[in-house]
Amino acid sequence: MSFRALIGSRWLLAGFGGLVATSCLAADTLPMAQSASAAASGVTSGAVATVSAAVAIQALGDQVIPLTEAQLPKGLTGDERKARDSARNRMLREKCKAIPKDTFEKYQCERPAQVDLIEQLDQLLAEVTPLQSAWPGVDVAADQAQWVVRRDACRQDRDIKMCLEFVYLERIAQLQAQFERVPTEGPISYHCDGLAQPLVATFYSTEPPLLVVQQGDSRILTWMRPTSGGVNFEGDGVNFHEFKGGADWTQGDKQYRCQQQP
């Protein structure tokens, strides 16, 4: 099963008080993917029913290994989860007490979902900074400085929460792609009418899903967005709408019809 079949064609708003990727799977692959997701997530508590051992699976590449009932992770009960979240909220409020109310810094400090993203990015930066990127010319420090400017621009956004979550998730995904920390599909070449050079696309299983389109020596980052048909990725002034066997590539005010090359 291809990565693109798994990531599907929808990006739903949920979790994080904001964003979680959800696959829109073909009918014949949905039961398997649901079971694999349940087995991998480790969350089977409260209102979440325990997954039957008969359908639970663990997918390792093309190999499928059935899990017994005893092997299924049970996660926390509803009461345990509520107690854990309550204790964490109290801890964050105490930690952030000295920061003035109704400020950008207070918002980032007190909100658990935002703290999770901050910690995830900090950990990823610590891991990859000493490494050599798979992409030539990557300067992590310079990119991070530019990203901080973009993050701080969320102060002026009408929806600060949504702005911050997208900014953090996209930066995390960018680093995961640059240092090959997630599964990929590609590179896949597309010949586009009206373009002298082919487009070379690589799909990354980040959150949100990331498509990197290469034109010559330049890499263009695009992110999965909701769409009624096909798979749609958007970036700064560009759009890649994939459908079976091809894609529409929009760059500025020009659109190109592209065919996938064998």
Side-chain angles (χ1 to χ4, degrees):
M1 184 190 312
S2 72
F3 165 68
R4 281 174 294 161
L6 285 173
I7 60 173
S9 62
R10 291 192 302 171
W11 176 246
L12 302 181
L13 300 181
F16 271 141
L19 307 171
V20 168
T22 302
S23 298
C24 179
L25 306 174
D28 59 342
T29 65
L30 184 57
M32 185 181 75
Q34 287 175 329
S35 302
S37 175
S41 68
V43 179
T44 53
S45 61
V48 182
T50 301
V51 181
S52 167
V55 298
I57 60 171
Q58 181 179 13
L60 301 174
D62 294 330
Q63 184 182 13
V64 176
I65 304 173
L67 298 179
T68 66
E69 188 72 27
Q71 290 174 313
L72 288 173
K74 301 304 179 186
L76 301 176
T77 66
D79 289 342
E80 289 170 338
R81 187 178 299 278
K82 186 181 294 185
R84 181 203 62 185
D85 293 344
S86 178
R88 188 178 191 204
N89 289 342
R90 288 196 302 272
M91 181 271 292
L92 289 175
R93 284 195 297 270
E94 183 64 26
K95 172 187 173 184
C96 308
K97 188 163 54 177
I99 302 175
K101 292 183 179 180
D102 301 323
T103 62
F104 189 64
E105 290 73 19
K106 185 87 163 182
Y107 179 87
Q108 291 189 85
C109 183
E110 277 193 345
R111 188 165 175 269
Q114 187 61 49
V115 172
D116 287 340
L117 288 172
I118 293 170
E119 291 176 350
Q120 186 179 351
L121 178 56
D122 287 346
Q123 180 180 349
L124 183 58
L125 283 168
E127 291 173 359
V128 304
T129 297
L131 305 178
Q132 179 68 41
S133 171
W135 298 6
V138 170
D139 186 331
V140 174
D143 289 347
Q144 187 66 15
Q146 292 179 358
W147 174 84
V148 168
V149 173
R150 185 177 172 217
R151 179 202 65 189
D152 290 349
C154 288
R155 295 172 184 267
Q156 310 303 323
D157 198 277
R158 292 180 61 185
D159 190 340
I160 293 177
K161 173 179 71 69
M162 187 68 69
C163 179
L164 280 173
E165 287 181 355
F166 265 116
V167 165
Y168 270 88
L169 286 170
E170 289 179 356
R171 177 61 175 146
I172 290 167
Q174 180 185 23
L175 287 166
Q176 288 173 331
Q178 289 174 337
F179 290 88
E180 298 186 339
R181 313 289 282 188
V182 293
T184 66
E185 182 179 355
I188 300 169
S189 183
Y190 292 84
H191 174 74
C192 305
D193 295 338
L195 288 180
Q197 292 181 309
L199 298 181
V200 181
T202 304
F203 297 82
Y204 294 85
S205 58
T206 56
E207 184 182 301
L210 170 65
L211 169 69
V212 177
V213 179
Q214 189 164 352
Q215 283 186 299
D217 295 330
S218 64
R219 286 182 172 85
I220 303 170
L221 275 61
T222 64
W223 311 94
M224 181 178 279
R225 296 291 185 255
T227 181
S228 59
V231 181
N232 199 59
F233 292 83
E234 295 180 6
D236 292 337
V238 298
N239 182 281
F240 186 93
H241 182 79
E242 187 196 22
F243 50 83
K244 186 175 182 180
D248 287 326
W249 172 246
T250 303
Q251 196 165 19
D253 58 356
K254 296 183 179 180
Q255 186 178 78
Y256 306 91
R257 176 56 59 99
C258 308
Q259 296 297 320
Q260 183 175 329
Q261 301 300 292

